[in-house]
């Protein structure tokens, strides 16, 4: 049941801290505080590149995985949505690593992409929530997201669990490739182990998120902005808003705004930005300044280290705990999903069963 929550989505949002913790329990050895992945029939040290593919929210998780694998493991990564990947016929080196991400393990396009990668002798590693699924049976390795059943059509906890697995995969790959030393691994693992309690702290921002929701609920269009690993977080926020509140939202890499979408900005198009204090904070803030100068209303998700500077320009903000840059996209996802939820509640939509959508998309 819903355990007293209004919707499954609300219940599942509150499970973020738990599922991040459960997923880490599977992949981190508590004694050595190192990542331990199951045995694999191939060697992560010798894969020449990775190909990541998925649909919807799972694709955005994969995009964050790309930033991590490139930056930390120095592994070249190609990524595309599964419905494009399956027909793109990209030239692939056999022995590459195929990373498939899916909550259900049954999504038709992702399954077809899996099969086309396998035909090209790519090693298939799937990150799945349903471990008894069609994709699981066709994969060389399955890394489970220990999120439990997700009922709400809009994915929430499965997404942060996917990110947790991708983070661990990145650490293991980096170690194997010699791009991360012991001290480096310890710091990243410590940041991950700290996440469940930081994620629980996010729920103290409920009032601020509901205040933002009242502004967003009045809008016809909303622009979501972020840079680096916060760009896919913005995409996730925009998808969730569209899905359950039926408000048009678009996500842009903040630096790309002046190449077009800035012409949209006026008082009627709220700007939701994800801007924690990471190395891209200053760049993001200057993009937000540009939007504000054109009359944009800024609703900003930041953290304790960014709060002073954000408060000088934002109409409203949500201040999360400051965490290591590596895990910031995991933490920052939670409030953007909560915002979409609160907007949908204000709009009175069928939150758990939005129109025209199915939980698992088993047709092309
Ligand atoms: O089961 P999957 O993870 O393969 O599903 C992929 C997408 O259909 C899914 O993430 C969809 O975008 C969600 N409704 C997003 O909230």
């Amino acid at each position: 049941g819903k355990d007293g929550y209004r919707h499954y989505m609300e219940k599942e949002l509150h499970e973020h801290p738990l599922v991040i913790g459960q997923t880490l329990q599977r992949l981190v050895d508590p004694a050595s505080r190192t990542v331990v992945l199951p045995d694999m029939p191939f060697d992560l040290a010798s894969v020449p590149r990775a190909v990541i593919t998925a649909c919807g929210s799972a694709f955005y998780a994969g995009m964050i995985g790309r930033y991590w694998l490139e930056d930390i493991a120095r592994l070249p990564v190609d990524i595309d949505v599964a419905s494009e990947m399956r027909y793109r016929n990209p030239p692939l080196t056999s022995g590459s690593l195929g990373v498939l991400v899916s909550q259900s393990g049954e999504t038709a396009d992702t399954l077809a992409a899996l099969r086309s990668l396998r035909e090209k002798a790519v090693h298939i590693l799937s990150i799945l929530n349903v471990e008894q699924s069609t994709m699981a049976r066709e994969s060389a390795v399955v890394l489970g997201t220990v999120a439990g059943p997700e009922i709400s059509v809009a994915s929430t906890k499965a997404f942060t669990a996917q990110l947790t697995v991708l983070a661990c995969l990145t650490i293991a790959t980096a170690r194997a490739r010699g791009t991360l030393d012991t001290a480096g691994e310890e710091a990243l693992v410590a940041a991950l182990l700290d996440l469940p309690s930081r994620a629980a702290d996010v729920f103290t921002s409920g009032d601020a998120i509901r205040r933002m929701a009242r502004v967003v609920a009045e809008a016809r269009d909303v622009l979501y902005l972020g840079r680096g690993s916060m760009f896919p977080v913005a995409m996730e926020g925009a998808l969730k808003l569209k899905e359950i509140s039926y408000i048009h939202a678009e996500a842009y890499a903040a630096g790309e705004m002046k190449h077009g979408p800035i012409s949209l900005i006026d008082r009627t198009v709220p700007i939701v930005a994800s801007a924690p204090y990471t190395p891209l904070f200053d760049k993001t803030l200057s993009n937000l300044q540009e939007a504000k100068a054109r009359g944009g209303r800024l609703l900003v998700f930041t953290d304790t280290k960014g709060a002073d500077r954000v408060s000088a320009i934002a109409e409203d903000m949500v201040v999360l705990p400051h965490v290591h840059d590596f895990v910031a996209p995991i933490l920052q996802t939670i409030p953007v999903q909560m915002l979409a939820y609160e907007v949908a509640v204000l709009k009175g939509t069928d939150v758990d069963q939005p129109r025209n959508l199915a939980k698992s998309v088993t047709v092309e």
Side-chain angles (χ1 to χ4, degrees), residues 141-164:
V141 179
V142 174
L143 298 180
T145 47
V146 196
E150 194 181 62
I151 310 289
S152 157
V153 165
S155 184
T156 52
K157 59 178 180 168
F159 183 82
T160 49
Q162 286 160 355
L163 290 178
T164 304

Side-chain angles (χ1 to χ4, degrees), residues 24-168:
L24 287 172
Q25 255 172 38
R26 277 234 200 141
L27 301 175
V28 175
D29 170 52
S32 61
R33 293 168 77 93
T34 54
V35 170
V36 181
L37 298 187
D39 286 338
M40 301 188 184
F42 53 86
D43 185 359
L44 283 176
S46 54
V47 297
R49 58 187 301 124
V51 187
I52 304 178
T53 189
C55 301
S57 285
F59 170 69
Y60 303 141
M63 280 185 74
I64 294 171
R66 170 179 66 170
Y67 285 99
W68 287 334
L69 282 167
E70 289 181 342
D71 181 31
I72 300 166
R74 310 304 305 150
L75 184 67
V77 177
D78 180 20
I79 180 164
D80 210 344
V81 291
S83 55
E84 289 298 315
M85 184 67 84
R86 62 184 290 195
Y87 295 117
R88 252 178 57 192
N89 192 23
L92 289 171
T93 318
S94 69
S96 291
L97 176 67
V99 180
L100 290 290
V101 188
S102 176
Q103 189 285 128
S104 62
E106 302 295 343
T107 301
D109 282 316
T110 313
L111 177 60
L114 181 159
R115 289 174 178 159
S116 76
L117 291 176
R118 214 173 50 172
E119 271 168 28
K120 292 177 171 153
V122 166
H123 301 301
I124 304 297
L125 182 154
S126 296
I127 298 174
L128 306 173
N129 197 39
V130 180
E131 290 179 57
Q132 315 296 327
S133 53
T134 310
M135 283 178 61
R137 287 192 292 278
E138 301 192 20
S139 302
V141 179
V142 174
L143 298 180
T145 47
V146 196
E150 194 181 62
I151 310 289
S152 157
V153 165
S155 184
T156 52
K157 59 178 180 168
F159 183 82
T160 49
Q162 286 160 355
L163 290 178
T164 304
V165 173
L166 284 160
C168 291

